[in-house]
Amino acid sequence: MIKPDSYFKVTYGLYLVTARLGEQKVGYVANTVFQVTSSPARFGVSCSKDNFSTSIIERSGSFAFSVLGERASTGLIGDFGYRSGREIDKFRGVNYFIGQTGSPIITDSAIAWFECRTVETLDLGSHLLMIGEVIASDVLNDQIKPLTYQYYRDVLKGFSPKNAPTYVDKSLLETNSPGMLSESEIWQCSLCHYAYETDKGDPISGIDPGTRFQDLPDDWCCPICGADKSQFFKD
Amino acid sequence: MIKPDSYFKVTYGLYLVTARLGEQKVGYVANTVFQVTSSPARFGVSCSKDNFSTSIIERSGSFAFSVLGERASTGLIGDFGYRSGREIDKFRGVNYFIGQTGSPIITDSAIAWFECRTVETLDLGSHLLMIGEVIASDVLNDQIKPLTYQYYRDVLKGFSPKNAPTYVDKSLLETNSPGMLSESEIWQCSLCHYAYETDKGDPISGIDPGTRFQDLPDDWCCPICGADKSQFFKD
């Protein structure tokens, strides 16, 4: 028996993985970034084949990743995590510089960054596991804690998008949350699956617990991906 | 330029990775455990070729891992993280059960566990990256937070052993800790490299800041690996 909740006990950070091929810059939010050897230092990154970024990362032969801090902009996570580079220019208005390999390295909301040259690519069916050797890295902020996937889920109420290696089908999860009253309503964001629960409100945006969805301000938007109210449906 | 401190911004949990071949049970502490695909769910684990456990994991064709909680026993981490299965029976006195694949699954100090069948092995020079498909998992404790590598470093003052993918040579780190007085002494554990700093004491064992090493009780032992005072040398 596999218990879906068990996946939430595995700890990850959150990262902006980026690459560039010619004029095409790509980037997405990843949690499965991890060191696989120490000498030389190499990192593995698992990339969904359905992501536009993946083919660019593969063809460019290099990638970078920025380590997000706890105070990371949810707009940045929304753009890089839930929107496609085919549709919007994710880098517009974002601070970054071009590294030695040509990869764009994002400094906004980041506490550290690494630049890697790909040395192996392992085909895992739905995903490619890129192994990259670190050629440069730096710390940008030593005061802010790294954003963890747990913090993202628990405090920001975020979920993995469908292409993530750690995607879990919410319908499989046990919902025995003791604070959940029967009259509480849940409204879900069609873009990123964030769930607005009326009995919890949206502390990030200053919305008190108990606020009905129809009473949210007109300019309220999804705290994860920035979608407006019209993108929500009642669960 | 590679900044060694940047590696500490990458987030990991801590896990007991275990396997069995015939009567030989093996296990070690790992932080590089991460999901690489969601459907089917697969995990990657990077194992040093210098670890006795690695050849057993490879030959057995399966492995399990237990997710350690924040209150994990430092003795357990010490035995599994810093001692070799060639020297001691790490499983003696430890609660575990045998899973479907024959792997021992440790329940002590664990908040969840996963059992995996190895589907690919990638040779990375110093390490083997095992990719395992999840065949069973469960949650053991929903109240205790997962132990993170950051918590292990910051609160328990632990370091990666030399064979870990995330090993960082301490001599390369910048030591500009503002609280470090010049008269403070550092004593290092020869087994696990834990550093006893007199100006910080050992809060885990109830030792006040300012306590000199020679004034520690005779039965004081390394809070990480359980080594006694004679195993320490002045740094």
Side-chain angles (χ1 to χ4, degrees):
Chain A
M1 193 207 68
I2 295 174
K3 185 112 168 222
D5 295 291
S6 55
Y7 292 98
F8 292 147
K9 305 300 179 189
V10 180
T11 298
Y12 303 94
L14 278 178
Y15 310 90
L16 292 175
V17 178
T18 49
R20 189 179 68 142
L21 189 69
E23 289 308 298
Q24 181 69 60
K25 296 186 293 294
V26 292
Y28 74 103
V29 177
N31 57 347
T32 54
V33 170
F34 47 88
Q35 199 172 348
V36 292
T37 59
S38 65
S39 181
R42 289 178 183 159
F43 277 84
V45 178
S46 182
C47 313
S48 167
K49 289 183 185 173
D50 289 340
N51 278 350
F52 177 58
S53 301
T54 301
S55 72
I56 303 289
I57 295 173
E58 192 185 8
R59 285 155 60 204
S60 73
S62 56
F63 60 89
F65 62 91
S66 302
V67 182
L68 291 171
E70 266 190 4
R71 294 180 206 160
S73 146
T74 53
L76 194 71
I77 296 177
D79 281 353
F80 278 86
Y82 299 101
R83 288 189 162 86
S84 171
R86 290 187 193 96
E87 295 154 18
I88 61 160
D89 176 6
K90 297 183 178 184
F91 288 83
R92 195 182 163 140
V94 173
N95 289 318
Y96 67 90
F97 69 96
I98 300 294
Q100 293 173 49
T101 62
S103 299
I105 299 171
I106 296 173
T107 54
D108 277 349
S109 294
I111 59 170
W113 59 263
F114 291 80
E115 191 178 7
C116 302
R117 193 158 279 138
T118 308
V119 291
E120 299 235 25
T121 303
L122 183 62
D123 192 330
L124 295 172
S126 58
H127 290 68
L128 291 182
L129 182 63
M130 315 282 189
I131 308 287
E133 193 160 315
V134 178
I135 59 162
S137 76
D138 202 4
V139 172
L140 299 174
N141 189 310
D142 217 21
Q143 306 304 313
I144 297 177
K145 281 189 193 172
L147 177 60
T148 63
Y149 185 45
Q150 186 178 28
Y151 185 90
Y152 175 68
R153 278 194 318 269
D154 293 351
V155 181
L156 303 179
K157 304 290 176 204
F159 276 91
S160 282
K162 196 133 190 168
N163 289 345
T166 52
Y167 173 74
V168 174
D169 186 344
K170 279 181 75 183
S171 64
L172 299 175
L173 299 177
E174 287 175 11
T175 52
N176 52 359
S177 165
M180 187 87 76
L181 299 170
S182 57
E183 59 263 52
S184 175
E185 274 183 7
I186 297 177
W187 287 73
Q188 202 173 82
C189 174
S190 58
L191 213 54
C192 75
H193 305 295
Y194 162 80
Y196 175 78
E197 298 173 26
T198 53
D199 65 343
K200 293 185 177 159
D202 170 16
I204 302 284
S205 313
I207 304 295
D208 290 333
T211 306
R212 292 183 307 172
F213 188 78
Q214 55 266 47
D215 295 337
L216 289 170
D218 286 343
D219 62 352
W220 178 84
C221 58
C222 174
I224 299 300
C225 75
D228 63 33
K229 281 179 75 176
S230 68
Q231 304 264 26
F232 279 68
F233 60 92
K234 194 159 176 288
D235 210 15
Chain B
M1 190 207 67
I2 296 173
K3 186 114 168 220
D5 295 291
S6 57
Y7 292 98
F8 292 147
K9 304 301 179 189
V10 180
T11 298
Y12 303 94
L14 278 178
Y15 310 89
L16 292 174
V17 177
T18 48
R20 190 180 67 144
L21 189 69
E23 289 307 297
Q24 182 68 58
K25 296 186 294 292
V26 292
Y28 74 104
V29 176
N31 57 346
T32 54
V33 169
F34 46 88
Q35 198 170 348
V36 291
T37 59
S38 65
S39 181
R42 289 178 183 160
F43 277 83
V45 179
S46 183
C47 313
S48 167
K49 289 182 184 173
D50 289 339
N51 278 350
F52 176 58
S53 301
T54 301
S55 72
I56 302 289
I57 295 173
E58 192 186 9
R59 285 154 63 203
S60 73
S62 57
F63 60 87
F65 63 90
S66 302
V67 182
L68 290 171
E70 264 189 6
R71 294 180 206 160
S73 147
T74 53
L76 194 71
I77 296 177
D79 281 354
F80 279 86
Y82 299 100
R83 289 189 162 87
S84 171
R86 291 187 193 94
E87 295 154 20
I88 61 159
D89 176 5
K90 296 182 178 185
F91 289 83
R92 195 181 163 145
V94 172
N95 289 319
Y96 66 92
F97 68 96
I98 299 294
Q100 292 172 51
T101 62
S103 298
I105 299 171
I106 295 173
T107 55
D108 277 351
S109 293
I111 60 171
W113 58 263
F114 292 80
E115 191 177 7
C116 301
R117 193 160 278 138
T118 309
V119 291
E120 299 235 27
T121 304
L122 183 63
D123 192 330
L124 295 171
S126 59
H127 289 69
L128 292 181
L129 181 63
M130 314 283 189
I131 309 287
E133 191 161 317
V134 178
I135 58 163
S137 76
D138 203 3
V139 172
L140 299 174
N141 189 310
D142 217 20
Q143 304 304 312
I144 297 176
K145 282 188 191 171
L147 177 61
T148 64
Y149 185 44
Q150 188 178 27
Y151 184 92
Y152 174 69
R153 280 193 319 270
D154 293 351
V155 181
L156 302 179
K157 305 289 177 205
F159 275 92
S160 281
K162 197 134 190 166
N163 289 343
T166 53
Y167 173 75
V168 174
D169 186 343
K170 278 180 75 181
S171 65
L172 298 176
L173 299 177
E174 286 176 10
T175 52
N176 52 359
S177 166
M180 187 89 72
L181 299 171
S182 58
E183 59 263 52
S184 176
E185 274 184 8
I186 297 176
W187 287 73
Q188 201 174 84
C189 174
S190 57
L191 212 54
C192 75
H193 305 294
Y194 162 81
Y196 175 79
E197 298 173 25
T198 52
D199 66 343
K200 293 185 179 160
D202 170 16
I204 302 284
S205 314
I207 303 295
D208 290 334
T211 306
R212 293 183 307 171
F213 188 79
Q214 55 267 46
D215 294 336
L216 289 170
D218 287 342
D219 61 353
W220 179 85
C221 58
C222 173
I224 299 300
C225 75
D228 63 34
K229 282 179 75 175
S230 68
Q231 305 264 26
F232 279 69
F233 59 92
K234 194 158 175 290
D235 209 15

